[in-house]
Amino acid sequence: MTTGRRAEVSGAGFAGLTAATALAKRGWKVRVHERSPELRTEGAGIVLWGNSLRVLDKLGATHDLESRAMRSPAYETRMNNSIKSQEEMEGVRWISVTRPHLFRTLLTAAREAGVEVISGSEIAGATPEGVVTLADGDTIEADLVVGADGVNSAVRDSLDIPLKRERSRDGITRFLVPRRKADLQRLEPDTEWDNYIDFWNLEPRVLRVLYVPCNEDEVYIALMAPVDDAQGSRVPIDLDLWTASFPHLAPILEEAAELPGRYYGYQTTRVDHWTEGRVAIIGDAAHAMCPALAQGAGTAMQNAWTLAEAATAASDADLAQALIDWERLERPYTDRAQDRSQYYADTRQMAEGSQFQGDILETALYDPTDPKRHEVAV
Ligand code: FAD
Ligand code: 5PR
């Protein structure tokens, strides 16, 4: 099974680093090209569920990750600051973590597995035969090319893979701020400030604050407003507007108002196919989704893992067919996560609470590391 085959990966995001580490652990020589001059991640916090945590277990990264992460006692949903539900989600694995910490953990795992990560190296495109062209014009031949270069993927676009992009009516700005727990407690002593709390206001105005503690010191907050609400989507945030709607969150809103940020309109990108000869695309390059189910990075890591498994099991001559089979088996799980996330973003239905049951948990409970996962139950 061990191969010494060479893989070139475009993009050192969560998808690229996971694929690279999984391949290296299976005997591949792996190089990751990151366009940015520095290795780091943008953004604030992230929620990971069982599907990606199983992959991190296999990469040997969970211990490091969980040393600075949090599992809230409950996922709470409020409307106009009154509690609609508190879901404890027994039996569901999930944690919240800062993006910088997840990134460092994955980069360490990649390096320990022998992956070479090169920053300031931009990929211009790839051919189905596995020839990668760098932005400076150099070419490299690879046995496998992984396009993990995000929503505007150069690898994907160089192969002319057709895609469709849909925008939703809402979007958000994200911040990582100090928790200010004592100040919050003074304002609302009865609130469990360790909970993940989704604060919705639909009337008199659509504004939402997602409150996600990531460890003892840091809380990730996401401020949602409609795309056509210029005041609500303004960055730096309009402190008067937000504190008028969420007075009990004033201490952390004040922290956010000091920070730069970027408003992201929710969007979904669907591509026609994920593979082309020796090239596979994963993560936002293949299936950028709305964040409602918090599964963009989760599905990226899930597909990175199963791609490494499928590519390793195939002989070099059968690689292209193995990638086609991989997409056929794995893609439906991601398609459903993408569809559901778009549905929840479009309908704002998460505001109703009591949501973590039935189908909505499918992705969170999926185990991409289980060799028997595709066997039909008898
Ligand atoms: P990216 O993170 O975009 O990484 C791509 C990398 O490739 C970048 O480092 C980029 O610089 C590099 N690159 C780009 N072009 C080139 C090139 N030509 N050559 C070389 N390198 C290149 N997901 C969750 O699982 N849970 C959450 O709670 C969650 N919350 C989210 C909140 C918001 C507001 C958004 C927008 C997304 C959220 N997601 C969440 C989704 C998640 O952030 C993404 O799905 C995930 O980061 C995608 O990872 P990626 O590695 O595919 O892409
Ligand atoms: N869940 C999470 C999240 O970060 C966001 C959403 C849901 C963890 C926003 O980025 O619905 O927008 C959401």
Side-chain angles (χ1 to χ4, degrees), residues 306-362:
T306 58
L307 169 65
E309 178 190 47
T312 308
S315 70
D316 187 61
D318 294 336
L319 183 79
Q321 184 58 45
L323 298 186
I324 290 171
D325 295 341
W326 161 73
E327 177 179 351
R328 182 174 48 76
L329 280 173
E330 295 298 330
R331 180 167 173 164
Y333 297 92
T334 298
D335 285 347
R336 289 193 292 273
Q338 210 182 14
D339 291 347
R340 287 181 189 125
S341 256
Q342 185 179 23
Y343 172 80
Y344 282 103
D346 286 350
T347 60
R348 299 174 176 152
Q349 201 183 301
M350 296 189 99
E352 287 167 24
S354 301
Q355 54 208 317
F356 290 103
Q357 44 200 315
D359 283 0
I360 200 174
L361 284 173
E362 185 198 13

Side-chain angles (χ1 to χ4, degrees), residues 179-187:
R179 286 192 57 183
R180 305 274 305 262
K181 203 168 164 178
D183 296 326
L184 292 170
Q185 241 148 11
R186 221 168 291 128
L187 287 170

Side-chain angles (χ1 to χ4, degrees), residues 45-49 75 96 99 171-174 196 198 200 208 210 212 220-224 266 290-295 341 344-345 350:
I46 195 157
V47 174
L48 297 175
W49 304 84
Y75 187 115
S96 35
R99 279 182 190 248
I172 57 152
T173 310
R174 305 169 290 174
Y196 175 124
D198 197 353
W200 285 85
R208 167 193 183 201
L210 193 62
V212 188
Y220 157 50
I221 55 174
L223 276 53
M224 186 193 101
Y266 291 152
C290 294
L293 292 192
Q295 277 291 1
S341 256
Y344 282 103
M350 296 189 99

Side-chain angles (χ1 to χ4, degrees), residues 1-5 23-29 312-313:
M1 238 180 52
T2 310
T3 55
R5 285 184 281 177
L23 285 163
K25 281 184 168 282
R26 290 173 186 269
W28 292 70
K29 291 202 218 47
T312 308

Side-chain angles (χ1 to χ4, degrees), residues 42-110:
E42 264 184 56
I46 195 157
V47 174
L48 297 175
W49 304 84
N51 56 322
S52 47
L53 293 173
R54 303 259 198 187
V55 172
L56 291 163
D57 291 346
K58 293 283 186 190
L59 299 184
T62 320
H63 179 76
D64 264 9
L65 190 69
E66 293 190 337
S67 70
R68 200 156 169 76
M70 184 141 165
R71 187 203 200 277
S72 289
Y75 187 115
E76 184 170 317
T77 305
R78 296 193 186 191
M79 177 64 78
N80 296 325
N81 208 27
S82 95
I83 296 174
K84 296 210 73 156
S85 63
Q86 287 177 321
E87 296 172 89
E88 287 172 16
M89 289 195 276
E90 235 172 278
V92 179
R93 246 181 113 186
W94 66 292
I95 59 168
S96 35
V97 58
T98 70
R99 279 182 190 248
H101 181 55
L102 175 60
F103 185 80
R104 278 191 302 269
T105 303
L106 280 174
L107 187 60
T108 301

